[in-house]
Amino acid sequence: MKTNDIKLWKVYERVVVKFMSEEYSSEEWTVIPNARITGYISNRKRQIDVLIDYRFNHDLERRIIIDAKERKRPIDIKEVESFEGTMRDVGAQKGFLICTNGYTKAAQNRAQQAIGLKIIPESEIEELNISSWDYCCNCERGLVLWDLYFGIEYDGMNYIQATGKCDNCGKFHIWCWSCGNKYVIGSEEEFQCNNCEEPWFWMTSIEQEEDGSKYLYLLLILGNGLHYIIDKLPL
């Protein structure tokens, strides 16, 4: 895939996703491109360019949202106020407006502490090698953001796995480093790598939290009965 095959604003969103995934590379955070969250106030789906959530359970105190603004002009106070309304609706405690051509003084004054304003110029697009990203195994249109690489120790053996998410359909992807194959796992499904027959399997489970929000959790189930939450997606 070449950069000029995709609309500029979409490429810019992927630049921002890459930037934020590097900034929040700790295993505690999950970085979700093109997320869909049901608003607590509006009760309708809100599209979020980049969602950063606590990876292992429901914790809105850590929720961050990012809006990528590929603009020929500086962003103004109205865009800051609109973004602040989105933050309140989805329960985000912090947000970033990331833009190509800066922001007005009024926008900076209105942003205050909860909203960060950052500039990533369009020149950064040239440095993003989209051809090195993987196509989604499910929709074949989106690209996969691999945001967690981790080791599993089992019976004295060490295994490397990676998980990621498609920026179009949102499906979880699993990268088995033992055989090199990459797979997609759907909602409330189970999966085990057929090539390796490793002593664990993956499953997804939908859980509803006390505040009514729903998440799709990705779980790793080991052969000794232990299980771990690896990632989650808002529904």
Side-chain angles (χ1 to χ4, degrees), residues 74-83 97 103-111:
I75 62 173
D76 203 350
I77 187 171
K78 290 183 179 180
E79 290 166 298
V80 174
E81 290 177 337
S82 175
F83 182 63
L97 278 168
Y103 40 83
T104 65
K105 183 64 176 178
Q108 184 179 25
N109 292 339
R110 183 66 179 82

Side-chain angles (χ1 to χ4, degrees), residues 24 65 115 123 126 178 192 204:
Y24 289 88
I65 64 172
I115 300 175
S123 59
E126 298 175 1
S178 297
Q192 186 174 31
T204 53

Side-chain angles (χ1 to χ4, degrees), residues 148-215:
L148 181 64
Y149 299 80
F150 64 101
I152 301 172
E153 183 176 351
Y154 190 89
D155 285 346
M157 297 289 291
N158 290 310
Y159 305 85
I160 302 297
Q161 303 283 289
T163 61
K165 295 168 283 289
C166 171
D167 67 359
N168 182 60
C169 69
K171 295 287 187 181
F172 285 122
H173 283 62
I174 298 166
W175 184 355
C176 176
W177 283 29
S178 297
C179 66
N181 285 335
K182 298 165 185 175
Y183 306 92
V184 64
I185 182 169
S187 177
E188 296 192 300
E189 291 184 354
E190 294 183 2
F191 164 78
Q192 186 174 31
C193 180
N194 295 326
N195 291 332
C196 300
E197 297 184 352
E198 292 167 330
W200 61 75
F201 67 93
W202 302 85
M203 68 176 294
T204 53
S205 175
I206 296 176
E207 303 291 339
Q208 182 166 333
E209 306 296 339
E210 292 183 359
D211 61 4
S213 59
K214 290 184 179 180
Y215 289 90

Side-chain angles (χ1 to χ4, degrees), residues 2-19:
K2 298 180 180 179
T3 300
N4 57 13
D5 293 331
I6 309 174
K7 291 182 179 180
L8 185 61
W9 65 267
K10 186 61 176 177
V11 177
Y12 187 68
E13 282 187 8
R14 287 168 174 170
V15 170
V16 171
V17 169
K18 184 176 183 295
F19 176 85

Side-chain angles (χ1 to χ4, degrees), residues 104-135:
T104 65
K105 183 64 176 178
Q108 184 179 25
N109 292 339
R110 183 66 179 82
Q112 299 180 352
Q113 294 183 351
I115 300 175
L117 300 175
K118 295 188 177 185
I119 301 173
I120 301 180
E122 285 186 3
S123 59
E124 294 290 327
I125 292 175
E126 298 175 1
E127 300 180 12
L128 178 65
N129 184 13
I130 288 183
S131 63
S132 67
W133 291 28
D134 291 321
Y135 280 109

